[in-house]
Amino acid sequence: MINSAFYNKVLLENSELSKIAEKVIQNERITDADCLQLFEHGSLAFVGALANHVREQKHGDITYFNRNFHIEPTNVCVFSCAFCSYSRLYAHKEEGWELSIDQMLDIVKSYDEKPVTEVHIVGGVHPKMNMAYFIELISKIKNHRPDLHIKAFTAVELDYMFRKAKLSTREGLEQLKAAGLQSLPGGGAELFHPDIRKVIAGDKVSGEGWLEIHETAHQLGMHSNATMLYGHMETYEHRIDHMRKLRDLQDRTKGFNTFIPLKFRNANNDMSHISESSTNEDLRLYAISRIYLDNFPHIKAYWPMLGRQNAQLTLSFGVNDIDGTIDDSTKIYSMAGSEEQTPTMTTEELVTLIKQANKKAVERDTLYQVINEF
Ligand code: V47
Ligand code: SF4
């Protein structure tokens, strides 16, 4: 329960905020207008205390992590998102990399003796890597290590693959699922609102298209995550629009596991003139998303993008998942300006990070089944 001195102070100071606090404590859903109040008038202390209350109701002091590794098939991409520091246009592909299926299988095999539970496969949209290529990749990984959960392909990659193969979303997902694909990562969502999307990611799948792919995946029994790229040119209303679309879809399908806010990093991209958001604003967003997305089981801080110290802070502001050990050769985050140049943390480091925030560290698999408690 929220500290009563604090609650009285809020009651005296702002009756709108106190009504929102009352709703949250009574487990009532907050409206878009309430959410705007929180963004405009909720102090970090206020939204943090409410979000922590929700987090404790849902998960107590448990903080999840998993043991995973990432594979990036290529950084060559046919699209040209303004915030992207990582991709190389197909026309400049000599500056990029493309891995063969054998090279990717070798990466998987390098984990043969290690207790990882998930492989996360996401990359640029290469015009030559098509359905047949990815079906072969997924089947070979499954064949080699059937217990490894395959979480792969953003809706952006899938939309391109399916259109090229002249398949409907359902047909495409059914084929990939039959090959061994088990869930979808949350990337590519960026900001759904068309006014922002057309500026920052105008040539790839629309917000509606992203949502349709995730809805279909959920209908086929696959789980997925959702991201939101924030802290660039969007208003609070745009953030709320994005989260409302996710909350509505989750009401219909219950297929999302996790919401992952992604802080815009401004190095080496076409939006470098935009300042990055402050830590105060980052933490307020994490907290407000925890309060607004009442039907999302988990809120995740993606530490390679946020930095491990700030990711640790989010654990007191509604976050109950800190992603994985990652063990990554990816350059996407360091190239975009994250202080995490080599995103890998050992299990011991992750557990320490969680315990230092007075939380309980629990290793999970992709679907949040408990594997180990620390
Ligand atoms: O969609 C690209 C983002 C995303 C920048 O589902 C940037 O478990 C900030 O979605 N500043 C891909 N963000 C990563 C992603 C993800 C990562 C980890 C786990 C999961 C999951 C999903 O990275 C892209 C884009 O939104 N991104 N450039 C940048 N400059
Ligand atoms: Fe391509 Fe993804 Fe970068 Fe956009 S964000 S340019 S789709 S790799």
Side-chain angles (χ1 to χ4, degrees), residues 47-49 51-52 55 283 287 311-319 357 359:
V47 296
N52 196 48
R55 180 223 207 273
L283 293 174
Q312 186 186 47
L313 270 178
T314 65
L315 301 183
S316 304
F317 292 85
V319 167
K359 305 291 180 204

Side-chain angles (χ1 to χ4, degrees), residues 83 151 185-188 190 225 229 260 263 265 300 302 305 336:
F83 57 82
K151 180 178 78 173
E190 322 311 358
N225 293 336
L229 182 71
I260 313 162
K263 174 192 175 87
R265 308 305 306 246
K300 174 153 94 181
Y302 189 53
M305 198 59 108

Side-chain angles (χ1 to χ4, degrees), residues 127-362:
K128 295 218 173 111
M129 292 180 176
N130 56 18
M131 273 299 277
Y133 183 88
F134 285 120
I135 284 179
E136 186 183 342
L137 173 69
I138 299 287
S139 341
K140 284 189 167 162
I141 295 176
K142 257 292 150 215
N143 217 14
H144 178 74
R145 189 159 172 182
D147 63 319
L148 193 64
H149 185 108
I150 304 182
K151 180 178 78 173
F153 312 129
T154 64
V156 177
E157 294 164 276
L158 294 171
D159 171 68
Y160 185 83
M161 249 187 258
F162 300 162
R163 278 192 289 119
K164 260 187 78 176
K166 300 198 177 0
L167 294 171
S168 68
T169 302
R170 179 170 289 269
E171 289 163 343
L173 281 170
E174 276 170 349
Q175 290 188 18
L176 288 168
K177 187 177 177 213
L181 179 68
Q182 287 160 287
S183 51
L184 308 188
E190 322 311 358
L191 232 287
F192 294 143
H193 197 286
D195 290 351
I196 300 295
R197 199 172 187 86
K198 70 173 181 238
V199 182
I200 66 168
D203 54 358
K204 67 187 188 188
V205 67
S206 66
E208 289 68 37
W210 189 100
L211 289 159
E212 192 248 334
I213 288 173
H214 281 255
E215 180 153 18
T216 311
H218 298 170
Q219 287 163 356
L220 294 174
M222 297 159 100
H223 283 267
S224 72
N225 293 336
T227 57
M228 176 171 78
L229 182 71
Y230 73 93
H232 38 89
M233 54 180 62
E234 83 288 1
T235 62
Y236 290 145
E237 283 86 352
H238 291 131
R239 293 182 186 178
I240 297 169
D241 174 77
H242 188 95
M243 292 195 293
R244 184 189 347 93
K245 286 169 179 158
L246 292 174
R247 194 169 78 171
D248 286 351
L249 173 50
Q250 179 76 332
D251 276 343
R252 294 199 293 280
T253 64
K254 310 266 181 293
F256 287 119
N257 282 332
T258 314
F259 179 64
I260 313 162
L262 292 172
K263 174 192 175 87
F264 165 64
R265 308 305 306 246
N266 68 4
N268 303 312
N269 57 47
D270 292 343
M271 286 163 58
S272 294
H273 57 287
I274 298 178
S275 308
E276 291 182 357
S277 56
S278 63
T279 303
N280 182 296
E281 191 59 17
D282 295 336
L283 293 174
R284 281 182 357 101
L285 170 66
Y286 275 91
I288 293 170
S289 69
R290 176 60 292 172
I291 297 165
Y292 183 84
L293 293 173
D294 58 348
N295 55 4
F296 269 65
H298 309 285
I299 306 288
K300 174 153 94 181
Y302 189 53
W303 62 264
M305 198 59 108
L306 204 56
R308 55 193 82 185
Q309 299 301 332
N310 286 343
Q312 186 186 47
L313 270 178
T314 65
L315 301 183
S316 304
F317 292 85
V319 167
N320 71 295
D321 186 325
I322 198 154
D323 206 83
T325 42
I326 311 239
D327 205 356
D328 201 352
S329 58
T330 180
K331 296 191 183 58
I332 184 166
Y333 313 108
S334 54
M335 285 165 92
S338 170
E339 33 294 287
E340 299 293 344
Q341 295 298 311
T342 47
T344 151
M345 261 207 268
T346 62
T347 304
E348 291 68 34
E349 285 172 322
L350 257 183
V351 168
T352 304
L353 194 95
I354 294 168
K355 286 190 172 166
Q356 283 171 340
N358 281 332
K359 305 291 180 204
K360 183 176 170 53
V362 172

